[in-house]
Amino acid sequence: MHIREMLADAERTGAPSFSFEYFPPKTTQGVQNLYDRMERMNNFGPKFIDITWGAGGRIAELTCEMVVQAQTYLGLETCMHLTCTDMGEEKVNDALRKAYKAGCTNILALRGDPPREKEKWEAAEGGFRYARDLVQHIRKSYHEHFDIGVAGYPEGCDDNKDEDLLLDHLKEKVDAGATFIVTQMFYDADNFVRWVGKVRARGINVPIIPGIMPIATYASFLRRANHMNCKIPDEWMQRLEPVKNDDVAVRDIGKTLVAELCRKILAAGIHHLHFYTMNLAQATRMVLEELDWMPSPDRPVKQALPWKRSLGLG
Ligand code: FAD
C-alpha cells in the first residue's frame, strides 16, 4: 500500500498514526535480533516501517535484504530509503528491482550523506547529483508503482543553512514526483509549525511526516541533537540536565517532553508521526504509552501480515 493512501486514511478518520524507522545493524546476530524486535514492535501498531540506506558495499546490500525480509516474510509495509551516494545508475536500478520484486511500493529518495572517509559529497560516475534527479528517475522507470518520499529540513541541512534555498530544492523534489515529505528530527515544535507554514506558502501541498527522536539517555540525546544542529528548547535542558546521570529519570522526563512535542504537532493538523527508533523499543514505547497510543483490548492493533499467513508462518 502506498504511504500517501495510509496518510489519507489517517486524515479522513482523524485518528493519529505512526511509523518506525530502523537501520541495518553491523553484525549478522544484530540483524537477526532486529528482525525479532521488528516483529515485536509491530504489535505497537505502526502503519509502516522504514529501512535506512547505508552507503557502500555490504551495508547497501543489507538494506535491500532487510526490505525483502520485512516486506515479504514479516509482512510489514516497508519503505526503502535509497541514496545517490556511490551509486551509479545500474546500482540504483538493481536496488529498485529488488524492492519491486519484494512487493515494496514505497521509496524515500535521498541524495545521501558523504561516505565516512570523505568530507564533501561527490556524485558517483554515471550516478545522480541530487535527490530530485533520483525522484525523476524512479518516476520515469516505475511510473506510479512506487510512492516516493523526500527529506525536509525544518532545522536546516548540514551543507545548506539557507532556508529559502532549501525550500526551493524541496519544491523541485515534489515537482519531480515526490508525494510525501519526511523531516529530520527536531525538538522545537514552534519552529516546525512555522516551517510547515513556509512549505505550504511555497505551494508544496503533499503530506509532511515529522521525524520524532525519543530520548533514551542524556548523552545520546545531546549527541544527536548537536549532530543534526537541532535546537533544544531551554525548558528541555532545564529539566533533563539535573538528572543527566540517571538514565531512568532521563527516559521518564524525556517521554513526557517528547509526548508534549507530539501533541503540539498534532494540534497543528499533522496526523502521522515517524519515530526514529534507533533499533530499540523502550524509549519509543514509553512515548506511545504516554500518548495512550499503545494497543489495548479495546483498541487492538490491526495486524496485516498477509504474506506471513499465506506462507503458514503466522
Ligand atoms: P537533496 O535534496 O538533493 O539536497 C542535497 C543538497 O543539495 C542540499 O544542500 C540542497 O540544498 C542542494 N540542492 C538540491 N537541489 C539542488 C539544485 N537543483 N541546485 C543546487 N543545489 C541543490 N542519509 C543516508 O545516507 N541514508 C539514509 O537512509 C538517510 N535517511 C534520511 C532520512 C531523512 C528523513 C532525512 C531528513 C535525511 C536522511 N539522510 C539519509 C540524510 C540525507 O541523505 C542528507 O541530509 C543529505 O545531505 C541530503 O539529502 P537530500 O535527499 O535532502 O538531498
Side-chain angles (χ1 to χ4, degrees), residues 52-53 81 110-112 130-131 153 159-160 169 172-173:
T52 65
W53 187 263
H81 291 204
L110 303 141
R111 186 205 58 185
Y130 299 117
Y153 299 93
D159 56 2
N160 194 346
H169 298 150
E172 284 183 4
K173 294 192 274 193

Side-chain angles (χ1 to χ4, degrees), residues 159-216:
D159 56 2
N160 194 346
K161 308 280 179 245
D162 182 333
E163 184 171 86
D164 288 319
L165 204 53
L166 276 169
L167 287 173
D168 289 344
H169 298 150
L170 183 60
K171 175 99 170 61
E172 284 183 4
K173 294 192 274 193
V174 173
D175 289 346
T179 48
F180 63 96
I181 296 163
V182 185
T183 77
Q184 69 195 144
M185 61 172 277
F186 60 89
Y187 290 125
D188 185 341
D190 295 337
N191 182 57
F192 169 73
V193 173
R194 181 198 60 79
W195 180 80
V196 171
K198 285 195 83 169
V199 173
R200 296 305 182 219
R202 285 293 170 116
I204 303 173
N205 295 314
V206 299
I208 296 172
I209 303 181
I212 309 291
M213 179 74 79
I215 298 176

Side-chain angles (χ1 to χ4, degrees), residues 3-17 47 200 205-208 269-272:
I3 285 174
R4 77 183 112 150
E5 289 170 42
M6 300 180 214
L7 300 177
D9 268 357
E11 176 132 23
R12 209 169 26 248
T13 60
S17 62
K47 286 278 175 206
R200 296 305 182 219
N205 295 314
V206 299
I208 296 172
I270 301 268
H271 299 282
H272 185 96

